[in-house]
Amino acid sequence: MGLPVYAYAWRAGIVACGLAWFGPADLRAETPEPSMRAELIQQSAEPFGLAASSLSSGGLHDKWIGVQRRLDDEMVQLALCEGDRDGCVSPAALKFLDIVDAAWLRDGRARLGEINRAINLAIRPTSDLAQHGQIDVWASPLATLARGGGDCEDYAIAKFVALRRAGLAPDDLRIVVLRDTIRGEDHALAAARLDGRWLTLDNRRMAMVEDADVRNFRPTFVIGQHGVMRYADAPLLADVSGNNSVAPLVVSSLAASAGQSFERAD
């Protein structure tokens, strides 16, 4: 009986996720010196094929560190419940383990799709303000499943952890923050690399889309096993008229100092 309710809420509440605390990222295109061009424009292992520079401070960095600390506790809870499901006192942990178990029964793209679909249906789209009484709350997977609701980054974090538990290598998993160029909002989603291609797992759709096919979004930040990074390039993936041609990439030298200047803007 619970699944149709989640499905109804998911369909009814599909909207862009505004990550208000990011604030409007300063992504002014600056043309680098010729000597910088060869260094910055290079093949990247990140989603969207863009180079990224590490952030060692700032609001997003601190937010992710807080999530990681809570994940450490939840991994202990999951290990206890996995070893003794009958004695598990956490319904959220059991639900999470069931999602991962179902994914293990599938291979390749079907495994990723199972997790994308299951988590989309298990979480009701709910704003941080409605759920927590404040904006900018990044929740760990079990906390999100226990409440039954969350916004885009909560979906992305839950998928990121579930995919790792389902056997994907850490280097093949990311959380990506993008700027919606039509709505003027930030959005977060999970990304997984399969056979050399990055697939995006979005809470607003069941189908997974390759990064190369994402339109009307500008990638700004990426989170993975090495922490938080800021994309050095600022491509326009498609113009607002719907033209699918990709604009030429212009490398921004702003990224070099982003770790020092980026702060939370509530």
Side-chain angles (χ1 to χ4, degrees):
M1 294 294 293
L3 189 57
V5 174
Y6 286 130
Y8 176 80
W10 181 81
R11 293 188 186 96
I14 296 177
V15 292
C17 173
L19 304 181
W21 72 275
F22 284 127
D26 187 356
L27 293 173
R28 293 169 295 177
E30 299 179 5
T31 304
E33 297 295 327
S35 60
M36 295 172 58
R37 193 184 304 273
E39 178 182 351
L40 292 177
I41 301 179
Q42 55 183 309
Q43 184 67 30
S44 172
E46 301 306 320
F48 301 98
L50 307 176
S53 58
S54 179
L55 293 179
S56 59
S57 62
L60 183 54
H61 171 271
D62 295 344
K63 185 65 61 179
W64 182 242
I65 292 297
V67 170
Q68 288 184 308
R69 289 171 181 157
R70 294 191 293 276
L71 283 175
D72 288 342
D73 294 335
E74 290 195 355
M75 290 305 102
V76 174
Q77 179 69 66
L78 286 172
L80 292 172
C81 287
E82 193 167 32
D84 181 15
R85 300 202 184 199
D86 290 338
C88 180
V89 297
S90 170
L94 291 174
K95 180 180 291 187
F96 185 86
L97 291 172
D98 285 345
I99 290 172
V100 173
D101 287 348
W104 272 111
L105 298 176
R106 300 177 178 271
D107 295 315
R109 189 183 182 112
R111 180 175 295 182
L112 308 184
E114 178 68 27
I115 286 177
N116 187 54
R117 178 182 179 278
I119 290 180
N120 280 352
L121 293 176
I123 301 170
R124 298 185 306 274
T126 310
S127 71
D128 286 336
L129 190 60
Q131 185 159 239
H132 303 286
Q134 58 182 312
I135 62 173
D136 184 28
V137 178
W138 281 41
S140 50
L142 299 191
T144 297
L145 290 174
R147 295 186 183 98
D151 58 5
C152 58
E153 77 274 6
D154 300 323
Y155 285 89
I157 293 167
K159 292 174 187 180
F160 180 87
V161 178
L163 289 165
R164 182 70 188 97
R165 298 279 299 190
L168 272 72
D171 195 45
D172 292 332
L173 292 174
R174 300 289 191 276
I175 294 172
V176 183
V177 177
L178 310 99
R179 184 71 175 174
D180 186 326
T181 59
I182 294 179
R183 295 183 176 92
E185 297 174 336
D186 292 297
H187 183 61
L189 49 78
R193 183 164 49 191
L194 181 68
D195 298 328
R197 298 177 182 273
W198 285 100
L199 297 172
T200 60
L201 288 73
D202 197 329
N203 66 293
R204 300 174 307 170
R205 61 174 64 93
M206 293 297 186
M208 296 179 298
V209 178
E210 286 191 24
D211 58 348
D213 295 325
V214 174
R215 298 291 179 247
N216 299 314
F217 281 91
R218 189 186 304 275
T220 52
F221 299 93
V222 61
I223 301 170
Q225 65 170 333
H226 300 302
V228 180
M229 294 183 289
R230 181 169 188 164
Y231 279 117
D233 298 337
L236 184 61
L237 300 179
D239 60 34
V240 294
S241 67
N243 189 332
N244 288 340
S245 60
V246 178
L249 301 185
V250 181
V251 180
S252 171
S253 60
L254 177 66
S257 60
Q260 300 298 323
S261 60
F262 181 77
E263 293 295 340
R264 172 175 173 173
D266 285 339

